[in-house]
Amino acid sequence: MSAETSTPSDAVELTSTSAGTYSPDNPAPVIEPPRARTSRSPKKVSRTNFEMWAWLFMRLSGIVLVVLVLGHLIIQLVLDGGVSKIGFAFVAGRWASPFWQLWDLGMLWLAMLHGANGLRTVINDYAERDTTRFWLKTLLYTATVFTVFLGTLVIFTFDPNIQ
Amino acid sequence: MSTATVDNPHSAALDTAESTASHLITITLRVRRFNPEVAAEASWVDYELQMDPKERVLDALHKVKWELDGTLTFRRSCAHGICGSDAMRINGRNRLACKTLLKDINPEKPITVEPIKGLAVLKDLVVDMEPFFQAYRDVMPFLITKGNAPTRERLQSAEDRERFDDTTKCILCAACTSSCPVFWNDGQYFGPAAIVNAHRFIFDSRDEGGEQRLEILNDREGVWRCRTTFNCTDACPRGIEVTKAIQEVKRALITRRI
Ligand code: HEM
Ligand code: SF4
Ligand code: FES
């Protein structure tokens, strides 16, 4: 993101708004930035290292994901005739080996936790009201737990002979 | 610098500049003005000025205030890049008006001047700096030591002094903090300037409060909110490597906790 985000175009209003109903005795409301830091801002210094671990996890999982995700994409989409080969038999063949089961399990967990933590930062950035923040995070965590649980279940209970 | 020879003391351009007023150019200064006693909305106002391109944006603002419209409001004190009063958004970038020459920012086009972002605008280019200074106070920017004070100076080797030299240069202008998109969002993030000033003491061999400051910056609103955007480093008029200082604080936290 660059600092150069706005340059006035011709659409910009160039003259002062003619004096309206505001006067020294009746000033317009001061525009407060959202939740400004003041000496009264809660000083609940978090004693935990949670944010540090989250930060480290993003870097470490990112490195592992480069291998897992790129490998996954190449195997699925490029090698051996590309997407046309993917079918029930192809998946059953790969999950017969514990190696690919572990690969997919690792990718599932890392990508989900990495993505969820990334969205958590995005929510922290953009949700202004505490209730919005709470509900967005509840939704995020529910969806994450559900997806990770369902994916793990499928990887371990997959039945190649299902009718 | 070489001295001019007797045969050719002046270039032709300098001659014209000295004999006529033609070195002045017409510029348009487009200022974001806001007066809560007059209107609820801020608006752009254009001023046409005859300026020397070697003058600064601050000189243009002075010309407007002194000759055209005395109500134009902005902060400045030293006018020489030392006091940190006049950081503003000039052509979309945070700079000090007193260190920005007109010729360096394409005076052919209107030059836009706005207040720095992320802090409440009080009037025209003046913002409420209180949240910025509150974050600064929160990192305890003063020497913390244990035991009795020595009867003489606290000595330090040249290498130890060099360790934090870069971050001693800060003039608290807020150009970095108000260029940071994380700070724009909700104003709770400590911001680069507070971290720079914590860095100045954390890495000072004479200081013993480093662990306390690290604890403060390990907070939810501390260094871990930094997304390495580099806007702060680009904005700093003192050329401080702000992002690097933030990374050094992160590294100190990680190596001391693990
Ligand atoms: C391919 C390897 C990947 C690498 C190397 C990687 C690396 C990173 C890093 C280092 C961050 C932190 C950025 C910061 O805090 O400044 C991040 C953020 C993020 N990542 Fe990944 N990532 C990868 C894959 C993924 C995948 C597969 C997903 C989706 C499931 C994902 C979703 C996100 C999200 C949502 C964020 C937060 C964005 C933000 O902070 O604005 N990433 N990634
Ligand atoms: S680090 Fe640079 S930009 Fe930030 S307040 Fe200090 S002098 Fe200004
Ligand atoms: S007026 Fe002092 S820094 Fe510009």
Side-chain angles (χ1 to χ4, degrees):
Chain A
M1 208 185 291
S2 126
E4 324 227 357
T5 42
S6 69
T7 39
S9 67
D10 293 337
V12 169
E13 167 105 69
L14 289 181
T15 49
S16 317
T17 324
S18 54
T21 51
Y22 298 109
S23 68
D25 300 322
N26 180 31
V30 173
I31 306 163
E32 291 283 348
R35 302 190 297 129
R37 176 178 271 279
T38 66
S39 50
R40 274 164 284 119
S41 294
K43 287 253 179 48
K44 41 168 186 6
V45 174
S46 35
R47 293 267 153 215
T48 68
N49 291 329
F50 179 77
E51 294 295 335
M52 182 185 83
W53 288 115
W55 186 90
L56 261 182
F57 173 76
M58 289 309 267
R59 270 82 198 153
L60 298 178
S61 62
I63 295 170
V64 183
L65 277 170
V66 171
V67 179
L68 293 182
V69 173
L70 284 186
H72 177 78
L73 290 178
I74 290 167
I75 293 166
Q76 301 282 314
L77 309 180
V78 181
L79 301 182
D80 260 342
V83 276
S84 53
K85 66 168 184 281
I86 300 181
F88 188 85
F90 178 74
V91 175
R94 285 187 70 216
W95 275 352
S97 141
F99 177 80
W100 293 115
Q101 274 188 323
L102 270 183
W103 181 295
D104 282 4
L105 189 75
M107 194 165 64
L108 171 75
W109 278 72
L110 287 182
M112 284 308 295
L113 294 181
H114 178 102
N117 188 46
L119 286 181
R120 183 184 68 93
T121 30
V122 173
I123 293 171
N124 278 342
D125 275 351
Y126 290 110
E128 281 178 16
R129 284 184 301 149
D130 283 344
T131 38
T132 324
R133 190 180 289 246
F134 173 80
W135 285 112
L136 283 176
K137 282 192 188 173
T138 309
L139 186 70
L140 172 69
Y141 298 152
T142 315
T144 308
V145 170
F146 178 75
T147 313
V148 169
F149 173 78
L150 199 67
T152 311
L153 191 76
V154 168
I155 292 177
F156 284 121
T157 60
F158 179 76
D159 177 4
N161 304 315
I162 200 166
Q163 287 310 311
Chain B
M1 289 276 293
S2 64
T3 23
T5 60
V6 184
D7 306 331
N8 184 17
H10 281 312
S11 74
L14 261 174
D15 275 343
T16 10
E18 277 177 7
S19 55
T20 66
S22 66
H23 62 295
L24 295 185
I25 56 165
T26 306
I27 64 154
T28 305
L29 197 66
R30 181 169 290 176
V31 185
R32 188 79 175 154
R33 299 209 53 183
F34 171 65
N35 181 351
E37 293 178 350
V38 174
E41 298 292 322
S43 56
W44 294 100
V45 182
D46 280 10
Y47 299 96
E48 288 228 328
L49 306 167
Q50 296 294 314
M51 300 292 297
D52 186 324
K54 296 190 293 300
E55 285 182 291
R56 307 156 301 170
V57 173
L58 183 65
D59 299 311
L61 288 168
H62 278 152
K63 205 175 179 81
V64 173
K65 185 168 178 70
W66 294 340
E67 295 171 20
L68 297 174
D69 185 348
T71 66
L72 180 66
T73 306
F74 53 91
R75 286 194 182 104
R76 72 100 175 84
S77 182
C78 68
H80 290 85
I82 296 300
C83 71
S85 310
D86 63 343
M88 43 191 83
R89 221 162 119 87
I90 298 166
N91 279 356
R93 274 191 58 185
N94 285 359
R95 308 165 194 258
L96 295 179
C98 63
K99 277 183 83 173
T100 309
L101 299 189
L102 294 171
K103 70 181 176 63
D104 293 337
I105 51 169
N106 189 9
E108 263 115 71
K109 288 207 192 139
I111 295 166
T112 66
V113 181
E114 300 163 73
I116 46 179
K117 282 179 53 156
L119 295 160
V121 180
L122 299 178
K123 187 180 178 189
D124 293 343
L125 303 173
V126 173
V127 298
D128 178 9
M129 297 281 281
E130 191 45 35
F132 173 80
F133 285 119
Q134 186 57 47
Y136 175 59
R137 283 192 286 269
D138 285 349
V139 299
M140 306 189 291
F142 38 80
L143 188 78
I144 299 177
T145 57
K146 292 197 237 10
N148 297 331
T151 50
R152 46 169 302 174
E153 310 93 305
R154 297 171 196 274
L155 293 181
Q156 181 170 49
S157 71
E159 298 81 63
D160 283 348
R161 176 61 178 72
E162 183 59 28
R163 180 67 193 85
F164 61 96
D165 184 65
D166 202 31
T167 46
T168 61
K169 299 183 210 149
C170 177
I171 56 173
L172 292 171
C173 65
C176 54
T177 295
S178 64
S179 74
C180 174
V182 178
F183 182 78
W184 293 339
N185 286 326
D186 64 11
Q188 295 301 293
Y189 172 43
F190 275 88
I195 300 172
V196 159
N197 288 280
H199 178 286
R200 186 248 168 271
F201 287 99
I202 291 170
F203 294 97
D204 185 337
S205 60
R206 299 164 296 186
D207 185 85
E208 293 168 57
E211 190 48 44
Q212 269 168 283
R213 295 194 187 85
L214 285 174
E215 186 70 42
I216 293 166
L217 291 177
N218 195 26
D219 184 64
R220 229 165 68 79
E221 308 298 344
V223 284
W224 307 117
R225 284 203 82 175
C226 165
R227 312 277 260 286
T228 331
T229 315
F230 280 97
N231 277 15
C232 47
T233 301
D234 287 346
C236 182
R238 305 282 296 159
I240 299 173
E241 293 179 283
V242 183
T243 312
K244 185 175 167 205
I246 300 175
Q247 293 301 111
E248 285 175 357
V249 174
K250 285 179 187 164
R251 181 178 302 167
L253 267 167
I254 288 176
T255 48
R256 289 189 200 192
R257 306 277 131 132
I258 298 177

